[in-house]
Amino acid sequence: MGKTRTRDPERTYSQVVPGASGRVLVVDDNKVIRQLIKVNLELEGFEVVTASDGAECLDVVHEVRPDVVTMDVVMPRLDGINAAARLRSDPRTRHLPVAIVSACTQYDAETGVAAGVDAFLAKPFEPAELVRLVRRLIDTRPAADERPEGEDGSGEGRMGAGSVIR
């Protein structure tokens, strides 16, 4: 009989980090890419939580309550475009800025815009570009009192529909 290993899933959610510039949920199925993005954002003062695919993102987003989500496109279980569309369809995350960080095609970009993605960053990317993008998305979020009535007051905000930062 062959060996089997079971490993407890790594719980990456965290509490609020005092002095952090914002909380970012990084979603990518490649562990090395997740770690690269995480380290670069943490070095710039962001608190970073990670998820390995779109399904995990949807499972943790309400507990984590990020200021921004960065997401790969091609992932198992639930890809980034469909995960972004589901975030947009949920009133609690409708205004949460989402950036696709992926080696995506023109089709992916067009589908992403239709799904409500706010920004795209092509892989490979310069870490400084990533940091600028995340800061811009956090800085352009509407304040809680600027959101449409009926929003949940979670502090989540979204740029106008169709806004794309490149």
Side-chain angles (χ1 to χ4, degrees), residues 61 66-69 88 93-98 118 156-158:
V61 71
D67 297 303
V68 174
V69 175
R88 288 291 169 256
T93 56
R94 168 177 313 158
H95 298 289
L96 178 62
V98 176
D118 296 291
E156 295 169 341
R158 174 167 149 63

Side-chain angles (χ1 to χ4, degrees), residues 79-133:
D79 68 65
I81 302 296
N82 285 310
R86 288 193 188 177
L87 289 171
R88 288 291 169 256
S89 69
D90 184 333
R92 297 169 295 172
T93 56
R94 168 177 313 158
H95 298 289
L96 178 62
V98 176
I100 294 292
V101 179
S102 185
C104 58
T105 65
Q106 182 64 33
Y107 174 79
D108 293 331
E110 290 168 3
T111 307
V113 169
V117 171
D118 296 291
F120 295 85
L121 182 61
K123 289 180 186 174
F125 56 86
E126 289 294 323
E129 287 179 282
L130 173 70
V131 171
R132 276 193 301 273
L133 173 65

Side-chain angles (χ1 to χ4, degrees), residues 52-63:
S52 60
D53 60 32
E56 185 180 1
C57 169
L58 296 178
D59 288 343
V60 303
V61 71
H62 300 295
E63 183 175 343

